[in-house]
Amino acid sequence: GESVGLHLPTLSVQEGDNSIINCAYSNSASDYFIWYKQESGKGPQFIIDIRSNMDKRQGQRVTVLLNKTVKHLSLQIAATQPGDSAVYFCAENGAESKLTFGKGITLSVRP
Amino acid sequence: GAGVSQTPSNKVTEKGKYVELRCDPISGHTALYWYRQSLGQGPEFLIYFQGTGAADDSGLPNDRFFAVRPEGSVSTLKIQRTERGDSAVYLCASSLWGTSTGELFFGEGSRLTVL
């Protein structure tokens, strides 16, 4: 079936370095993708989104890249900070008004 | 309130009991979603409301699960004859229009433990 997945379960980075979190999706009909951040004991929090007619979108310290050819989505975080430590999920809107989430990757920032 | 509010934050129940979980969305948001999140997994879609009606309930796992939103605001997720496998965090989210046009605002979830 269609699925959204992440390549690595955990990512450890040094404070101040850039982080790259990758995600593969399989539903070619998806036209909207979102990255969420989830801190322990809290609900997912929207970070950034991108539509399928775009390759790149930038926010504050974050950039999302979309490669439709290989169905790959990535989240880049510049100058990673301790407050960025969390679980990150990619999600796709393959069916109308229904987001499908990947399993999540834990980002750990070393001081 | 300012965000999505869910109650209770924690619920421990015994196998076979009935449970209700409440969600109070952001005022004015027409779309409301229920997701279920197991440990180490991403949220799994259960049901979506647009106004008072369930626009998509394809994620409800079986007929023990039911949700209502009678006045188009507060929603209640109801689980009958709970099973240990129902243990998870149940997340509610709301959106102004829906996922095709904007982000979802999630509550902090209701953690259900079935003993």
Side-chain angles (χ1 to χ4, degrees), chain A residues 55-74:
Chain A
D55 298 323
K56 178 180 179 179
R57 189 163 189 225
Q58 287 184 296
Q60 186 176 9
R61 282 201 309 117
V62 294
T63 300
V64 55
L65 299 177
L66 175 63
N67 185 330
K68 295 181 287 295
T69 302
V70 295
K71 298 178 187 170
H72 184 268
L73 191 70
S74 69

Side-chain angles (χ1 to χ4, degrees), chain A residues 32 34 36 38 41-46 49 51 89 93 95-104, chain B residues 33 35 37 40-43 45 48 56 58 91 97-104 106-109:
Chain A
Y32 181 51
I34 311 102
Y36 284 89
Q38 187 173 26
K42 297 188 176 182
Q45 179 185 9
F46 173 91
D49 60 0
R51 298 203 175 273
F89 295 97
N93 187 27
E96 184 177 351
S97 297
K98 182 163 65 179
L99 290 182
T100 301
F101 285 79
K103 288 187 176 181
Chain B
Y33 305 79
Y35 280 80
Q37 187 173 26
Q41 302 293 317
F45 172 81
Y48 155 60
D56 184 350
S58 62
L91 294 166
W97 298 114
T99 59
S100 62
T101 57
E103 65 192 88
L104 300 187
F106 282 86
E108 297 196 342

Side-chain angles (χ1 to χ4, degrees), chain A residues 14-105:
Chain A
Q14 189 72 38
E15 181 180 356
D17 287 352
N18 296 335
S19 301
I20 300 176
I21 303 172
N22 296 305
C23 174
Y25 67 93
S26 58
N27 188 348
S28 56
S30 294
D31 61 359
Y32 181 51
F33 304 87
I34 311 102
W35 280 100
Y36 284 89
K37 172 186 179 183
Q38 187 173 26
E39 297 175 329
S40 180
K42 297 188 176 182
Q45 179 185 9
F46 173 91
I47 301 174
I48 192 168
D49 60 0
I50 188 167
R51 298 203 175 273
S52 59
N53 61 353
M54 302 173 68
D55 298 323
K56 178 180 179 179
R57 189 163 189 225
Q58 287 184 296
Q60 186 176 9
R61 282 201 309 117
V62 294
T63 300
V64 55
L65 299 177
L66 175 63
N67 185 330
K68 295 181 287 295
T69 302
V70 295
K71 298 178 187 170
H72 184 268
L73 191 70
S74 69
L75 176 70
Q76 299 178 359
I77 304 174
T80 312
Q81 303 170 358
D84 295 326
S85 294
V87 178
Y88 288 80
F89 295 97
C90 62
E92 62 176 329
N93 187 27
E96 184 177 351
S97 297
K98 182 163 65 179
L99 290 182
T100 301
F101 285 79
K103 288 187 176 181
I105 183 168

